[in-house]
Amino acid sequence: WGQALGEVPPLDVAVVLGDADAKAGWGAELSPLARAQLVHAALFVAARLAAAYVAYESFGESFAPLLQALEALPLAAMPAALKQLTAQLMEHIQVVSKGTREARRPLALLAKKPAPLKTFAPVFEENFVVGKDYDIDRERAELNKMTRKLKEERKGAMRELRRDAAFLAGEADRKRKRDDEEYKDKLKGIYSVLESEQAEANQAARLLKKPRHK
């Protein structure tokens, strides 16, 4: 880390975005200040993540690799600011991980037995009649009765409509047949008159063609 650093300034964003002039200030190898800035930025992001996931039961398992990496850092050679930030982050991860582990409870059966379903004695009717409603709730029984009656009325109305439709279709078919017969008879009459007139015209033409005797 070179000379001891007191306060670590924030990482220069221009370096991250690729400013050639800013990168040139780092040189071929990272300077102690540049390394301190990078570590500081990484610790800051890790601390924000640890704060965001503090309520998760799997916090300890999720941050165990990070804790191992933090424990491997050379704290003695790090600047005081980074050393303090690293120690605080490690303590936070250790305390929260211990708390989540202690709060866990092994799986167990229900402490209270589930309440059994209520059972009712069956109701038998001595003189059972098919179609009769035996519901003890008279209001509901009356509603069911009206519903059945409405269904029957609807079925009856549909039967009448189908019957009327069939009758009207039959009447229309019979009327069409009568109209066709009348039309055919009218055509036959017209053809008969035309044939008679044509026969008379042919006969008159033959008479005109016969030679007259002096």
Side-chain angles (χ1 to χ4, degrees), residues 3-192:
Q3 59 180 353
L5 297 174
E7 295 295 331
V8 179
L11 183 65
D12 192 351
V13 180
V15 176
V16 179
L17 297 179
D19 190 333
D21 296 335
K23 284 185 177 180
W26 282 19
E29 296 183 0
L30 293 178
S31 64
L33 177 60
R35 285 183 292 177
Q37 288 175 323
L38 290 175
V39 174
H40 185 274
L43 292 174
F44 177 77
V45 174
R48 294 294 297 272
L49 288 174
Y53 289 90
V54 69
Y56 283 73
E57 295 183 359
S58 59
F59 180 91
E61 289 75 10
S62 301
F63 286 88
L66 176 60
L67 182 60
Q68 293 178 359
L70 294 175
E71 291 174 347
L73 290 176
L75 297 180
M78 293 173 62
L82 294 182
K83 186 183 300 184
Q84 181 181 1
L85 183 58
T86 304
Q88 291 176 351
L89 180 57
M90 291 173 59
E91 182 180 3
H92 175 74
I93 295 175
Q94 291 170 350
V95 171
V96 176
S97 300
K98 182 180 178 181
T100 55
R101 285 195 300 269
E102 293 178 351
R104 293 175 183 173
R105 294 293 180 268
L107 296 177
L109 297 176
L110 292 176
K112 182 180 178 181
K113 293 183 179 180
L117 297 177
K118 293 182 178 181
T119 57
F120 299 93
V123 178
F124 294 96
E125 293 292 339
E126 294 292 337
N127 301 315
F128 179 77
V129 178
V130 178
K132 184 178 179 180
D133 196 344
Y134 292 94
D135 194 344
I136 59 176
D137 189 342
R138 302 314 307 165
E139 184 177 351
R140 184 170 55 193
E142 188 66 21
L143 179 61
N144 293 334
K145 180 181 178 180
M146 296 300 296
T147 302
R148 289 194 298 270
K149 186 175 181 180
L150 179 61
K151 289 182 179 179
E152 293 175 358
E153 292 292 337
R154 185 184 292 112
K155 290 181 180 178
M158 293 299 295
R159 283 196 298 269
E160 291 296 328
L161 289 175
R162 286 194 294 269
R163 190 178 302 167
D164 293 344
F167 175 77
L168 293 176
E171 286 296 318
D173 187 59
R174 285 190 288 272
K175 183 178 182 303
R176 186 172 58 254
K177 288 182 179 179
R178 288 197 300 269
D179 293 342
D180 291 343
E181 292 296 331
E182 291 177 359
Y183 181 72
K184 289 180 181 178
D185 293 340
K186 186 181 293 186
L187 286 180
K188 286 181 181 179
I190 294 174
Y191 287 152
S192 178

